[in-house]
Amino acid sequence: MLTAPAAPPVTEEKARPAGELSAEEILASSRTVMHGLGQLSGTSVLNCREGFDRYYARGARVFEVDLRMTSDGQVVLRHDWRGGWQGISELSIPTRDAFLAAPLLERYTPMSFRDLLLLMEEYPDICIVTDTKFTDAEIVTAQFTAMLNDAHELGLSYLFDRMVIQVYSPLMFRVVDHLGHFPHYIYTFYAEGFNGTEEALRERLTFCRENGIEGVTMWSWLWRPSYAAIAENSGVRCYVHTVNDRETAEALLQSGVSAVYTDYLVLHED
């Protein structure tokens, strides 16, 4: 049974920088969401510091991160526990310290959720989209409790205003929102499935509107231009994943998609 870490010592909350934009404001001005902090050396979803540095320098400001729990109940940036990336026994989930001590592909820097918070503090103009993978209430509770504990311990809870929490079902949304009542959410369709009908989209957009969820995400091949007017009427933005062809990305954006998730494209406003 998963158990969340004990509550951390109370730390005085740091002051939010004056004029700092919210996740919604940063995302609204961006055309791309860098998947897994961006691709390096032909490898996607590394979620490493070097990926962030590379794509931030190119102008990216919205980054999606994949989050997993370590064996000691901490949250780190990792897409899955596939072997061969860190030289650790990835068939047995490592502790946070063991994970952080093993470079990715022998040269890239792994990150914990605490590291991510400190990165966000250092770069007040970025927005983070979370991908926590699981919908089981017990796992979701453990993950988000650990994340909240890290933020409280660092005095950086205000940074959740620059995060967009990705949820995969109405039940997951209710579990997460009960834990933290986070200000920004995206409802992503890949876990539940989406049949592509306009009626199904309207139903999900209605749920989003009623619950303050600001956007939905679907596979790029499911997108239809007719969805644009439906989304505009609902006041909910639509995003698609994962698009790595520039021409395709531009066409999707012109047809009404608000932004595309991508491994390496950085598209700026004309």
Side-chain angles (χ1 to χ4, degrees), residues 63 73 176 189 227:
F63 297 84
V176 174
F189 296 165
Y227 293 168

Side-chain angles (χ1 to χ4, degrees), residues 23-241:
E24 183 180 17
E25 291 169 317
I26 298 170
L27 189 52
S29 65
S30 299
R31 306 179 80 205
T32 51
V33 178
M34 302 313 302
H35 182 214
L37 293 185
Q39 184 183 103
L40 291 174
S41 303
T43 303
S44 301
V45 298
L46 282 166
N47 292 279
C48 63
R49 175 61 193 254
E50 291 81 1
F52 170 82
D53 290 340
R54 178 177 185 177
Y55 291 99
Y56 182 88
R58 293 184 177 183
R61 293 297 181 266
V62 181
F63 297 84
E64 184 247 24
V65 298
D66 302 295
L67 299 169
R68 292 272 178 169
M69 292 194 78
T70 57
S71 60
D72 52 343
Q74 304 300 318
V75 174
V76 297
L77 277 59
R78 179 81 189 224
H79 185 274
D80 56 72
W81 294 111
R82 71 186 74 180
W85 273 16
Q86 291 183 282
I88 56 180
S89 179
E90 288 153 316
L91 296 177
S92 176
I93 297 174
T95 64
R96 181 173 64 186
D97 287 347
F99 169 81
L100 293 175
L104 293 154
L105 302 181
E106 299 185 345
R107 60 188 182 278
Y108 298 129
T109 306
M111 298 177 66
S112 67
F113 187 73
R114 289 172 64 92
D115 295 328
L116 178 66
L117 291 169
L118 294 171
L119 183 72
M120 293 179 70
E121 182 184 25
E122 182 181 356
Y123 291 87
D125 58 343
I126 65 170
C127 163
I128 296 296
V129 179
T130 67
D131 189 353
T132 51
K133 307 299 182 187
F134 298 99
T135 59
D136 178 85
E138 182 182 12
I139 299 175
V140 169
T141 298
Q143 282 180 311
F144 280 90
T145 299
M147 291 158 63
L148 287 164
N149 284 350
D150 280 344
H152 290 317
E153 187 173 347
L154 293 171
L156 293 174
S157 298
Y158 77 87
L159 289 175
F160 284 112
D161 195 42
R162 279 199 283 119
M163 284 191 196
V164 181
I165 305 301
Q166 213 162 210
V167 296
Y168 317 111
S169 69
L171 176 59
M172 181 188 175
F173 166 74
R174 294 185 180 98
V175 172
V176 174
D177 200 56
H178 176 74
L179 289 170
H181 193 60
F182 299 95
H184 308 290
Y185 290 94
I186 282 178
Y187 181 2
T188 296
F189 296 165
Y190 75 78
E192 280 190 320
F194 172 58
N195 65 15
T197 66
E198 293 184 2
E199 180 182 2
L201 180 65
R202 286 191 180 94
E203 289 176 359
R204 297 193 183 195
L205 293 178
T206 297
F207 174 80
C208 291
R209 186 176 63 249
E210 291 175 347
N211 290 279
I213 298 173
E214 297 159 352
V216 298
T217 303
M218 66 189 76
W219 292 108
S220 61
W221 51 267
L222 286 169
W223 171 257
R224 300 178 186 176
S226 62
Y227 293 168
I230 299 171
E232 185 175 0
N233 289 336
S234 72
V236 178
R237 295 189 178 97
C238 290
Y239 306 91
V240 298
H241 62 98

